[in-house]
Amino acid sequence: MNKAELIAMIAEKSGLTKKDAEMSLNAFIDVVTEELQDGGKIQLIGFGTFEVHDRKERMGHDPRTGNPIKIPASKSPVFKAGKALKDAVNSK
């Protein structure tokens, strides 16, 4: 499912217009992005949690040459599914 299909499904299930559903989805994405940029966490009980994990600097290797390279530290957005979502997916 792509973004346009998701917007259409949200509009159908909620009774919103596609334009309103798109605005709602974009607002949700913006809020999640801003909160994660600020180092926050968003927990939706039953659905899951959006948070940021810090990845430490580490050594890797260039697959073409085999030479060691330093991979810099970074932050990675993570979604952890909640129990209700896991149960729903596993029940089908």
Side-chain angles (χ1 to χ4, degrees), residues 19-81:
K19 185 175 182 179
D20 289 340
E22 181 178 14
M23 286 175 36
S24 297
L25 179 60
N26 287 337
F28 174 78
I29 292 169
D30 290 345
V31 168
V32 170
T33 301
E34 290 169 10
E35 184 64 22
L36 295 180
Q37 283 175 334
D38 293 340
K41 172 175 152 177
I42 296 177
Q43 185 174 9
L44 304 172
I45 303 297
F47 183 70
T49 304
F50 296 92
E51 59 188 335
V52 175
H53 284 177
D54 291 322
R55 299 183 75 182
K56 296 179 181 177
E57 183 178 277
R58 61 196 189 280
M59 292 302 292
H61 70 280
D62 183 337
R64 285 183 285 172
T65 63
N67 294 337
I69 58 171
K70 187 184 294 185
I71 301 170
S74 64
K75 293 178 185 243
S76 179
V78 177
F79 175 76
K80 181 179 177 186

Side-chain angles (χ1 to χ4, degrees), residues 78-89:
V78 177
F79 175 76
K80 181 179 177 186
K83 184 176 182 344
L85 179 60
K86 287 179 190 177
D87 291 345
V89 169

